[in-house]
Amino acid sequence: DSGVTQTPKHLITATGQRVTLRCSPRSGDLSVYWYQQSLDQGLQFLIQYYNGEERAKGNILERFSAQQFPDLHSELNLSSLELGDSALYFCASSSSGTTPSEQYFGPGTRLTVT
Amino acid sequence: TQLLEQSPQFLSIQEGENLTVYCNSSSVFSSLQWYRQEPGEGPVLLVTVVTGGEVKKLKRLTFQFGDARKDSSLHITAAQPGDTGLYLCAGSMTTDSWGKFQFGAGTQVVVTP
C-alpha cells in the first residue's frame, strides 16, 4: 500500500460525457501527479500540482483539467470523452516538487468509454 | 514519440536464470528511474540514478546509468517468480520541472518456476 488513494476504482461511461477522478496523496506529500496509461501510448505524464499550484504540464489534452485543493487532494476532470480516452489513470504523490524525487503511485482508476 | 526506448519488449525466462533489460535514448537525461509494475497496480520505484556511470545494487538487481547519461540497464541475477512484472524506465531532461518527464514503454518480464 503506497498510501495514495484513488477513487473510483472503475468507471464506465459513454462518449461525450464528463467524469471526475479523485486522488488523495500520502500524508505530508505536497506534490501530486496525474498519468494516463494505455496499451498504445504507455504511461504518459499529464500534469503536476505542488501545494495547490500547477507546476508542470505534460501531454494533457485541452478537454482534461485538474486541480489541487487546500487539503492537497486532487481531482482530474475529463470532458467530452472519446473512445480513445479509455485507459488507466494513475495519481502519484511525492514530498518534493522537483526531479528526481520518489513518487508513490496510487492503484489507479480504470476508465472505459463506450 | 517515445524518447526512451526499452528492449526487449517481452522476456520469458526460467527461475534461476539471469536477465538484462535496456533503456536507451538519443537525449541526455539529468536523472533516470526504474519502476516495476504488477497487474492492477501502480508502478513502484526501484531506483534513481543521477550520475553518468553510476551503478546501484538492490539485492539481486543491478542498475547502471550510461557514462553519457543516455542509456541505462537493469540486470537481475538468479531471477525468481516474484520478479515477474512490467519494468519501466523513466527520465527527466531537466532538474527543475516535470514537464519533460517521460516513461519508456516497458519490458514485460515473466519468470516461470
Side-chain angles (χ1 to χ4, degrees):
Chain A
D1 185 352
S2 67
V4 178
T5 60
Q6 290 187 249
T7 57
K9 192 169 178 63
H10 298 278
L11 202 50
I12 302 175
T13 191
T15 54
Q17 295 298 306
R18 173 190 173 98
V19 297
T20 297
L21 312 183
R22 183 188 167 97
C23 167
S24 292
R26 287 190 326 153
S27 177
D29 283 356
L30 299 177
S31 203
V32 168
Y33 314 80
W34 285 99
Y35 291 87
Q36 178 193 60
Q37 187 174 39
S38 60
L39 284 175
D40 57 341
Q41 294 288 325
L43 197 58
Q44 300 279 324
F45 167 71
L46 296 179
I47 197 164
Q48 176 206 8
Y49 278 81
Y50 181 80
N51 202 20
E53 303 272 333
E54 181 186 303
R55 181 65 70 92
K57 268 188 175 180
N59 300 320
I60 189 166
L61 299 172
E62 285 191 11
R63 300 183 286 108
F64 297 0
S65 65
Q67 53 184 329
Q68 186 179 27
F69 295 88
D71 67 352
L72 300 178
H73 90 270
S74 178
E75 293 181 354
L76 179 66
N77 300 294
L78 315 177
S79 61
S80 302
L81 285 167
E82 302 175 359
L83 295 177
D85 298 327
S86 294
L88 265 170
Y89 290 84
F90 287 104
C91 166
S93 74
S94 71
S95 55
S96 166
T98 58
T99 69
S101 68
E102 184 163 357
Q103 296 178 83
Y104 294 85
F105 281 78
T109 292
R110 181 173 294 280
L111 172 66
T112 302
V113 183
T114 62
Chain B
T1 305
Q2 291 285 143
L3 282 183
L4 288 165
E5 298 289 336
Q6 290 191 244
S7 62
Q9 290 180 297
F10 179 82
L11 189 56
S12 179
I13 60 171
Q14 296 274 10
E15 182 176 2
E17 294 181 340
N18 301 333
L19 69 99
T20 302
V21 298
Y22 300 92
C23 175
N24 296 295
S25 174
S26 58
S27 301
V28 175
F29 285 83
S30 61
S31 63
L32 198 134
Q33 297 179 321
W34 284 94
Y35 292 79
R36 180 171 65 220
Q37 184 178 18
E38 298 185 24
E41 297 181 12
V44 176
L45 179 66
L46 298 174
V47 77
T48 299
V49 286
V50 296
T51 306
E54 183 175 3
V55 176
K56 280 192 174 179
K57 292 194 175 187
L58 184 66
K59 297 182 181 177
R60 293 175 294 99
L61 279 60
T62 302
F63 305 85
Q64 185 159 9
F65 201 13
D67 290 341
R69 290 186 285 129
K70 292 184 178 181
D71 57 89
S72 181
S73 64
L74 157 60
H75 181 80
I76 301 179
T77 303
Q80 298 177 0
D83 295 325
T84 293
L86 179 68
Y87 288 82
L88 297 158
C89 66
S92 176
M93 289 183 284
T94 64
T95 57
D96 60 355
S97 170
W98 287 86
K100 295 194 182 296
F101 187 74
Q102 296 221 0
F103 276 85
T107 293
Q108 181 64 52
V109 171
V110 175
V111 183
T112 53

